Structures are given as C-alpha cells and as structure tokens.
Amino acid sequence: MTKKAKVEQGKISIHTENIFPIIKKWLYSEHEIFLRELVSNAVDAIHKLQHVNLVEGLQLSDEYGVDIEVDKDAGTLTVRDNGIGMTADEVRKYINQIAFSSAEEFVSRFKDLEDKKQIIGHFGLGFYSAFMVADKVEIRSLSYAEGAEGVHWSCDGSTSYELRPFPKAERGTDIILHLSDDAKEFLEPARLREVLKRYCNFLPLPIRLAGETVNDCEPLWSHTPSEVSDEQYLEFYRKLYPLAEDPLFWIHLNIDFPFNLKGIVYFPRLTNEFDVTASHIKLFCNQVFVSDDCRELIPEFLTPLQGCLDAPDLPLNVSRSYLQNEPQVRKIQEVLAGRVAGKIVELAKNLESFGPIWEDIHTFVKFGMMKDEKFYKKLADKVVFRTTGEEKYTTLDAYLERAKEKHEGKVFYTSDEAAQAPYLKLFADQGFEVLKLEAMIDSHFIQFLEMKNSEVKFERIDADIADGLLDTEAGSEIASGKDQKTLSEALQEFFGKVLDVKGLKVRVEALRDAAVPGVVLLNEQTRRFKEMTRALGDAEPDLFAEHTLLVNAASPVAKNIRSLQEAGDQETAELLARQVYDLACLSQRSFDKDRMEAFLERSSRILELTGEKG
C-alpha cells in the first residue's frame, strides 16, 4: 500500500446484497452470542501468538488477556486482545473473504428455516455476528511480525468497506462495535458481565471487564483428578448450581484417546422440582460455553446428570442435528455410561453407605440396565434392593443365598407395604425375607431379570402362600357333623356357596399364623399381564376376574363358622363368611359405595352379636 493511496475502499463480492438485515432478523433472539464469538476469536489470536512464540523463539513474556471496554457517550463496545494481530493482507483474507463468505453461506442455506436454534447451530460466521448488534464495526490491528504497520478496517453494515493504515502502538486487535439503538443494553456492565459469565466463564485466559477479571481461567475439570479434593468438587458444584443440595457423587473425566473429553459430571439429589427430562449438562468447546441443551451427548437413562463437559473436537457452533448424526457422540455416551457404572461399582462396596444413594439412582440404573447390555453386565451383581430382613439393603445374590433352604430360586416381594401389610405379617412371623419393589419401573425390571436368569422367579407375596407358611403338622382332618365332611371340605363348599362370586376360587389351608382368617391371592403371571395391558392404555383390567380366597383352617374364625353351620345358625355363619372375604379383599382393592356400606353395616352387626353373647 503506497503513501499516495493510504485509503482503500471496496466492495465485498457477494450475491446477496441484503445479508446484514437477514443476519439481524434471523438471529435476533440469540444476539448475545456475538460477544462469545468475538471473545473466542480474541482468545484464538492469543493462542496463535503463544504458539508462534514457542516455535520461533520470540521470547515474548506478555501478560495475555482480553479486555472489554464500554464508552457510553460514544455508544461503543470494544473487544481488545494482545494476540497475533493482522496485516492489511490478512484483514482482506480473513475478514473480507473467509468470514464474509461464511455469512453468505448462512444466508443461502438457512434464510427460509423457521427453527432459529437450528440456524444458530449451523451459523459459523464468527466475526460477522457483530452486525447483529452494531450499525458499524471497526477493526484496529497490528501484527506481531517485525516491521508490520497498523491497519484500520471499517464497515457500516453494507457490502462496502474501508481499509487504511493506522498508527497502532501495541500488537493485537481491537474490535469496536458502534451499537445500534436496540442493542444499548450491551453498554451496561451488569448485562455484559451476565453474558461473559454465561459463555466465557471458563476460558483459559483472563477476560477483563473494566479492568476486572470476570472468568475462572482454570476450571476444575482442567486439573487432573488426583489434584482435586472432595471439597473442591463440592465448591465447584455449588458454583454451578447455587440452590441445589450437595450431589450424591461425581465423576471427573480426563480422556485423550480415542477422542478428547474433559469434564466433571455430578449425580444430583433428586427433588420434586427436578426435571429429569431436561438437559442439565453444560457443553464447552476448549472452555468456551456452547450449550446447556446437549441431551444428545447423555445416555437417555442418565439425563439427571449435571456438570460440565468440554469436547474440543466438537465445533463451537454445534447444533442438535449435528450431535444427532455425529459418531463421536455415541462414543461419548458409552464413556459416560461406563464411568457411571464404574462409580456405582466402587460405591457399592459399602452397602450401608450406598443404600441411601441407591434410593435416588435406582430407577435410572434399572432403566439403563434394560437399555444397555454393557451397562447391565457391569452392574448385574451390584443391584441393591430394600428388604424386610435384618439388613436394610441386599443384593439379589445375597438374598437368594439366605433363602436357599426355604425357597430356592424364588424371590418374594411387596409392591405396597401398607396395602399388603397382612401378607407381610404372615411372612415376617415365619422368618421369611421380602424385597420391597415399590417403584413403577420394578414390574418391568423383575421381568427383565427373570429373562436374564431363568432359574430365578419373582412372586409378589399376595400371589400364593409359600410352603413354609403352611402348617404341615396340623394332622389329617376327621369328617364330622351331619354332612360327614372334613373342616376343609365343609368350609370350601360353604364359602363358595355363600359368596357366589364370579371368578372366585375358594381354597382351605391351615396357616402357621392362626390370627389371619383368610387372604386373597392373585396369580403372579395373570396379574402381570393385566397390569401390562393397563400400562399400554387398554381398558382398565379387572384384576379380580380370577382370584382365590384362601381360608385359614387354623383360624378360630373359620372353626367358629363351621360350628355355627353345624348348630343351624346359618345367618351368623354367612355373616362371618362374607366378613372374612371382605377383610381379605380390603388390602387389594377399593370398595365402591354400596359394598362399603354393606361392609360397615355387617361390621356393626357382628359387634352387636358379640355384645349379645357377652
């Protein structure tokens, strides 16, 4: 550039003349990202200089950083770096050609799309995002090269630009934005601090606003795990999620093969307010914030995970559609699932301390085991169940080992402790251990476990009476009475005739616990099938279409019914039989109005009869 022609004016050769209005129109809802783009470019310029300094041995010892300055009177915002700088030829190349062609490509490919977030994901224009908020943009730059001359570039948002020499004293680049009227918010330090904290909080160089550093140059994930204490992990979590309780556990990722991935992920304590369907991971690219909606990176069964992932190999302007089609994303998912599984294995070594953690994570672990074969194999023997036994928690293998003598290969469980309390008492009185499977996922999970191990069968405690609960020493019964029937024969015939309920089967057995007059039993496989049809949205199934009333022949009530029948007091005997049946049904179903009224009326009548006999 000669002294006679100090000012160069020209037009950027493009096919779309109205590119800047389109940029403003389509990206307005995300216009704050301009600051991320400019600051990221500034950091890149410094990194390039540091590399050149190392390779060429320039022996520079500057204190590198990016400064954001505001001039409210002039209405300008300046992003200044002391990086590699540019010559006039480099401005022509990187600003007039490369950057602008990226902007033009955006217009030609995405101007007709309605999904603005998809546009942002594909929009790699970088520098030209400044025109989302500025009516005019200036560049003042001085290259690091020896003998370089400062350069000034300006553009008013049209396709025309001006390029001339500029007496800049310090190496680096200043980007000066003359903010438009609808972007004056970015003259306010508080607003700038908010944006910088969101997008640039963990950049590896100081980002200064009015001379004050606003970012953490060395985020915790950039350290090796051995350097970080538990308290530092917790402090970092509290910084990310100030209102949350401390997490259950965390995992520090530091992977450099076969891809680069760093980060710290936490499994939170879940509350009613926690949205398990939303994305809670903050995605970074070389410590530049990219997105907090990157659910594609996380296995579906680990969506509650919180924290930060830094994936340098992913593009800064990554889109959701890119993540959905990127092979590396699947590898990241596998790594996360594997690391979570490994952490669970480690925590499960101490069952007492792991039990409370399991309460929060078990639904997601079970879902993951059913979805991911590798995840299942790593945790197959680490699944924990709450139990009625002496130990509050147990593994399945430990339960089966303890139960080997009483019911080998069979697992008894309760799905509702309150409703199934009578059955639990029967099992507890005879020393039978019962697992507590009360989560919605458990009905699916036990079928999954049965499929994986055909020698193990799960049976709810109201499905049948275990052999160990029957009084096998009751002795053979003797026929008596006018009808010359045994107690069991007489009761079975009498209950069947009096109740006359469709689908009801009456069974008479002597239980070891004489206090229970009768229980209702629902076949395990039939009940599961009906519950599955209900889950699929079919008509509400009638679980009592087929059911069994087990009358306890050892119960004083059953014996009394037989005595009343033999004495000819048919009315009282029928009254007690119906009461035994309703009491057994109460733990299984809700009564409608008519049946409840009949039950209460009958209860009052029985009390009256007791009083009369007294």
Side-chain angles (χ1 to χ4, degrees):
M1 190 176 293
T2 65
K3 293 182 179 179
K4 293 182 179 179
K6 289 186 177 181
V7 178
E8 174 185 322
Q9 294 178 332
K11 287 186 177 290
I12 303 169
S13 178
I14 61 171
H15 300 95
T16 307
E17 292 295 334
N18 60 345
I19 188 168
F20 292 107
I22 292 176
I23 289 174
K24 291 194 175 197
K25 173 185 176 183
W26 283 101
L27 294 183
Y28 188 78
S29 63
E30 299 280 353
H31 63 327
E32 65 184 24
I33 70 162
F34 84 91
L35 195 55
R36 179 192 75 178
E37 298 291 329
L38 296 182
V39 172
S40 298
N41 287 348
V43 170
D44 286 343
I46 294 173
H47 282 161
K48 288 176 182 175
L49 180 64
Q50 290 173 325
H51 177 72
V52 171
N53 183 32
L54 183 66
V55 173
E56 298 185 8
L58 301 179
Q59 297 184 339
L60 299 175
S61 57
D62 299 40
E63 181 180 338
Y64 297 108
V66 179
D67 287 279
I68 318 297
E69 297 177 1
V70 170
D71 186 335
K72 289 188 176 182
D73 293 334
T76 60
L77 170 67
T78 300
V79 178
R80 174 177 294 115
D81 70 70
N82 54 351
I84 198 165
M86 291 182 287
T87 63
D89 284 342
E90 288 170 333
V91 169
R92 294 187 187 96
K93 177 180 178 181
Y94 294 117
I95 302 300
N96 291 353
Q97 296 175 22
I98 295 178
F100 213 100
S101 64
S102 177
E104 184 184 16
E105 180 186 4
F106 151 72
V107 172
S108 63
R109 290 179 60 189
F110 301 112
K111 65 179 181 179
D112 295 327
L113 291 181
E114 296 180 1
D115 185 349
K116 296 178 183 179
K117 288 190 175 181
Q118 185 180 358
I119 293 170
I120 286 292
H122 287 82
F123 194 24
L125 76 161
F127 164 73
Y128 275 97
S129 63
F131 285 96
M132 289 190 288
V133 295
D135 293 327
K136 178 182 178 181
V137 178
E138 298 179 68
I139 299 175
R140 297 171 182 173
S141 189
L142 175 63
S143 171
Y144 82 100
E146 185 176 351
E149 184 179 29
V151 61
H152 177 275
W153 178 95
S154 66
C155 178
D156 62 2
S158 68
T159 57
S160 299
Y161 70 88
E162 181 179 287
L163 182 66
R164 60 183 174 83
F166 181 79
K168 192 174 188 304
E170 297 179 349
R171 180 203 65 245
T173 300
D174 302 349
I175 308 294
I176 305 166
L177 279 64
H178 297 260
L179 297 175
S180 54
D181 290 338
D182 56 7
K184 297 299 184 183
E185 63 186 284
F186 296 108
L187 293 174
E188 299 300 326
R191 177 71 171 116
L192 291 173
R193 182 179 296 273
E194 173 194 343
V195 177
L196 291 170
K197 280 288 186 183
R198 175 173 172 79
Y199 292 103
C200 309
N201 197 34
F202 298 114
L203 281 171
L205 292 167
I207 311 300
R208 295 180 287 262
L209 176 62
E212 179 185 350
T213 300
V214 299
N215 65 315
D216 178 358
C217 297
E218 295 186 358
L220 207 61
W221 71 75
S222 66
H223 298 262
T224 59
S226 60
E227 298 173 344
V228 186
S229 67
D230 288 353
E231 186 54 39
Q232 286 176 304
Y233 284 119
L234 290 172
E235 286 179 4
F236 186 62
Y237 182 79
R238 292 164 191 153
K239 184 186 298 184
L240 294 173
Y241 311 99
L243 301 179
E245 294 184 57
D246 285 349
L248 296 168
F249 60 84
W250 54 84
I251 299 164
H252 192 147
L253 300 162
N254 192 354
I255 300 166
D256 53 19
F257 183 83
F259 53 86
N260 292 317
L261 182 68
K262 296 182 184 293
I264 302 172
V265 294
Y266 298 83
F267 203 104
R269 294 183 186 274
L270 301 180
T271 64
N272 292 333
E273 292 77 28
F274 192 92
D275 185 355
V276 296
T277 64
S279 173
H280 302 278
I281 293 286
K282 300 179 187 296
L283 176 63
F284 292 80
C285 178
N286 285 317
Q287 298 179 211
V288 181
F289 176 75
V290 175
S291 174
D292 53 10
D293 185 6
C294 53
R295 65 195 74 184
E296 288 77 12
L297 285 175
I298 313 300
E300 186 182 5
F301 54 90
L302 293 177
T303 49
L305 286 179
Q306 296 179 310
C308 302
L309 290 177
D310 194 334
D313 296 336
L314 295 178
L316 181 59
N317 289 293
V318 68
S319 68
R320 293 193 63 190
S321 59
Y322 174 92
L323 293 176
Q324 290 167 354
N325 297 294
E326 170 57 33
Q328 184 177 315
V329 169
R330 178 61 184 167
K331 296 177 183 177
I332 292 175
Q333 288 184 353
E334 291 176 355
V335 165
L336 285 173
R339 293 299 178 89
V340 170
K343 185 67 176 182
I344 292 173
V345 170
E346 177 187 334
L347 293 170
K349 291 177 181 178
N350 187 332
L351 201 57
E352 184 177 350
S353 61
F354 179 59
I357 295 175
W358 180 255
E359 298 290 345
D360 273 293
I361 70 173
H362 75 94
T363 297
F364 305 97
V365 174
K366 293 169 183 173
F367 182 38
M369 292 175 71
M370 290 189 286
K371 290 275 289 184
D372 186 328
E373 180 68 15
K374 291 181 180 178
F375 196 70
Y376 163 75
K377 288 181 177 179
K378 290 178 180 178
L379 296 177
D381 61 346
K382 303 301 178 185
V383 176
V384 175
F385 300 89
R386 288 195 304 132
T387 173
T388 60
E390 293 182 7
E391 300 291 336
K392 191 174 180 181
Y393 299 94
T394 184
T395 62
L396 185 59
D397 288 345
Y399 172 90
L400 290 170
E401 180 63 28
R402 290 192 295 272
K404 190 160 47 176
E405 299 300 324
K406 294 181 178 180
H407 47 90
E408 186 173 7
K410 183 174 287 189
V411 180
F412 291 109
Y413 70 96
T414 174
S415 60
D416 188 331
E417 286 187 79
Q420 294 155 15
Y423 302 89
L424 279 171
K425 184 178 184 302
L426 279 174
F427 277 75
D429 288 347
Q430 303 307 318
F432 277 60
E433 186 178 356
V434 176
L435 300 186
K436 302 176 182 180
L437 303 176
E438 299 177 310
M440 290 182 62
I441 196 172
D442 285 331
S443 60
H444 304 285
F445 188 61
I446 61 176
Q447 291 194 180
F448 170 77
L449 292 179
E450 289 172 338
M451 180 185 69
K452 288 293 185 180
N453 187 350
S454 59
E455 296 180 358
V456 175
K457 296 298 178 186
F458 284 78
E459 192 168 275
R460 205 166 76 176
I461 53 176
D462 59 354
D464 200 355
I465 292 297
D467 292 341
L469 302 182
L470 298 174
D471 186 359
T472 56
E473 300 177 0
S476 58
E477 298 180 79
I478 301 174
S480 63
K482 297 177 181 179
D483 53 12
Q484 284 297 295
K485 292 180 179 177
T486 64
L487 176 62
S488 295
E489 290 171 341
L491 288 174
Q492 185 169 0
E493 181 181 316
F494 180 71
F495 270 84
K497 182 178 180 181
V498 169
L499 297 176
D500 191 25
V501 175
K502 185 180 179 181
L504 172 65
K505 178 182 177 181
V506 178
R507 172 182 161 193
V508 181
E509 299 274 6
L511 301 179
R512 291 183 182 275
D513 187 347
V516 179
V519 292
V520 166
L521 305 176
L522 300 174
N523 179 269
E524 178 76 14
Q525 296 307 319
T526 302
R527 178 184 51 77
R528 284 195 204 179
F529 177 75
K530 290 182 177 181
E531 289 177 342
M532 181 181 69
T533 61
R534 177 171 56 192
L536 293 174
D538 294 344
E540 187 71 18
D542 181 6
L543 298 179
F544 276 71
E546 296 178 14
H547 63 292
T548 299
L549 171 65
L550 188 146
V551 179
N552 184 6
S555 165
V557 176
K559 294 175 181 178
N560 189 26
I561 291 173
R562 174 59 171 161
S563 298
L564 290 167
Q565 184 191 14
E566 288 182 328
D569 191 350
Q570 189 77 5
E571 181 182 357
T572 304
E574 290 182 4
L575 199 70
L576 292 177
R578 291 190 176 92
Q579 193 72 355
V580 168
Y581 178 60
D582 274 0
L583 283 171
C585 288
L586 266 178
S587 63
Q588 294 283 3
R589 67 193 304 184
S590 298
F591 290 172
D592 59 25
K593 178 177 177 293
D594 292 340
R595 188 166 179 183
M596 181 57 73
E597 286 178 354
F599 174 74
L600 294 174
E601 183 180 337
R602 192 186 317 115
S603 300
S604 298
R605 178 63 184 143
I606 290 172
L607 290 174
E608 290 171 5
L609 289 172
T610 305
E612 291 171 3
K613 290 182 179 180

